[in-house]
Amino acid sequence: MTLVAALVLLAGLGYGSLFLPMPYLVAAPGVTLDTLGQQEGGEPVIGVEGAENYEHDGSLSMVTVQYAGGPDHRLNLFTLVTAWLSPSQAVLPEELLFPAGRSPEEVTERQSLQMNDSQTDATAAALNQLNIDYEAIPLVADTVPDMPADGVVEPGDRIIEVDGEKVPTHTSGADTEELVGSSYVVDRVGDRAPGEPVGLVLDRDGDEVEVEMETVEGDEGTAAVGVLIADDMDFPVDVSISVGEIGGPSAGMMFALGIIDRLSEESITGGASIAGSGTISSDGQVGGISGIPQKMVSAKRDGAEYFFVAADSCSQVSQSAAYGDLDVVRVETLTDAMDALDVIRGGEGELPRCE
């Protein structure tokens, strides 16, 4: 009787544990959105005003991952085991998306900011690629507490000179190697031994303010003063991107390609169906992201022929249930992506692959 009771109790506890909430997430293939297409209301995903723009055949689709779970909606063990057995889903630690100390609302807000930033960087990268001039003015976003700039430089200041030299703010496209805006400021401040002073001239609400600070050694061993800066972009065209409630930075590369296609008289896809995922910087560097296995399944499901993946994400490609069903193209820069599109359009040449 004791043994039977123990077995029944053990079985009950085991069954009950299947329905205990667990601190894990399930990642599944999400929606795809053609950056050359239209939203449900008929509005283009990418709209351009202030320049001649075009519509072409083909598609350049951003892909997403759908997450289930989280601090407010934890999944049970049964659901997690089912997802773990699925070839197209993945079980991940909750803290990958919801770091300790951050509420779900804060995570959502951060992803919205990342999406907005990626759209701005995508516009800058696309205009660089097309050799269209624009202005990038370095703007102070914040200062690091207890660093030399703390209490000296204020959020909203525009940095107009470094050590008596004007900060160049106009970029003339992909063919120039000149640093402009925030990149110039970071390079000039860091190009000295830690401890040497740096002089800045700031535009603060229309008034010029001169400041001088002694630098310290930053995280990368170079001179730093603890100023967080970003570029205030002044573009000659007005680009609007509408993606609904989707957040995060991973669509940057596809946004940039979509903008280029809109501004190009000839189609850059040649009518091909292309999906992809990767962040973008204003100078055209493509960065890696997570969720590639699920995104490849989304791309295959919705008819993509090619999948553009950041070089940093290549290690994830073979983990996808869609591996072998898509022509996967490895890219490090926006120029790499454009070169690959030339090969796809012309039907000649080799596409770069993940090793």
Side-chain angles (χ1 to χ4, degrees), residues 22 64 155 161 169 250 283 307 336:
M22 305 290 286
T64 66
E161 289 184 18
T169 59
S250 64
D283 63 357
F307 189 86
D336 290 343

Side-chain angles (χ1 to χ4, degrees), residues 38 172 219 230 242 266 323:
Q38 297 180 337
S172 56
D219 293 339
S242 302
E266 299 294 330
Y323 183 60

